[in-house]
Amino acid sequence: MHTQQILMLVRKFIYHKHCLPIVFSNYFELNIDVHKYDTRGSNDLHVAAINKNYGKISIKHKSNILWNKLPNALKGYSSIKSLNKRLKAFLQSPVTFQ
């Protein structure tokens, strides 16, 4: 449930920024915003290098990792209901995030 809520926050950031508090307006960065050359992961979230363990368990770092590991088929849903239903099924499957 925790993972699902984190992924829903990222989805809101990507598709519906106006629904989030102003604090989250620049919370995440896409790779395309960091570097201008086109790569396979240019539409993924940028994961900054973290050296400390407490940085690795932060919501910002954890959400970037989880979103980038999500299959592209699930990343495309902008509807909350559609994504929530499919995300729950995906997270309950035994091959999740390997």
Side-chain angles (χ1 to χ4, degrees):
M1 196 164 148
H2 177 69
T3 302
Q4 184 175 1
Q5 291 302 315
I6 289 173
L7 291 170
M8 292 306 288
L9 171 69
V10 175
R11 188 206 57 80
K12 279 185 184 177
F13 175 82
I14 292 173
Y15 294 108
H16 306 289
K17 281 187 186 179
H18 63 279
C19 295
L20 290 173
I22 197 84
V23 168
F24 293 109
S25 63
N26 295 324
Y27 198 67
F28 302 108
E29 285 182 293
L30 293 174
N31 282 334
I32 196 78
D33 297 332
V34 176
H35 53 77
K36 298 300 178 198
Y37 47 90
D38 193 23
T39 63
R40 282 180 295 212
S42 61
N43 291 324
D44 285 345
L45 294 176
H46 179 68
V47 180
I50 303 290
N51 296 328
K52 304 289 183 188
N53 284 334
Y54 62 85
K56 291 178 182 176
I57 61 171
S58 70
I59 294 294
K60 186 174 183 177
H61 183 74
K62 190 174 183 180
S63 59
N64 291 346
I65 300 282
L66 290 173
W67 185 261
N68 291 347
K69 287 184 177 180
L70 203 60
N72 287 334
L74 289 176
K75 289 181 188 178
Y77 288 101
S78 63
S79 166
I80 294 173
K81 269 189 173 180
S82 299
L83 179 63
N84 238 347
K85 187 176 177 182
R86 287 171 176 83
L87 190 58
K88 187 181 278 188
F90 174 74
L91 292 173
Q92 290 175 347
S93 71
V95 292
T96 304
F97 296 123
Q98 295 209 1

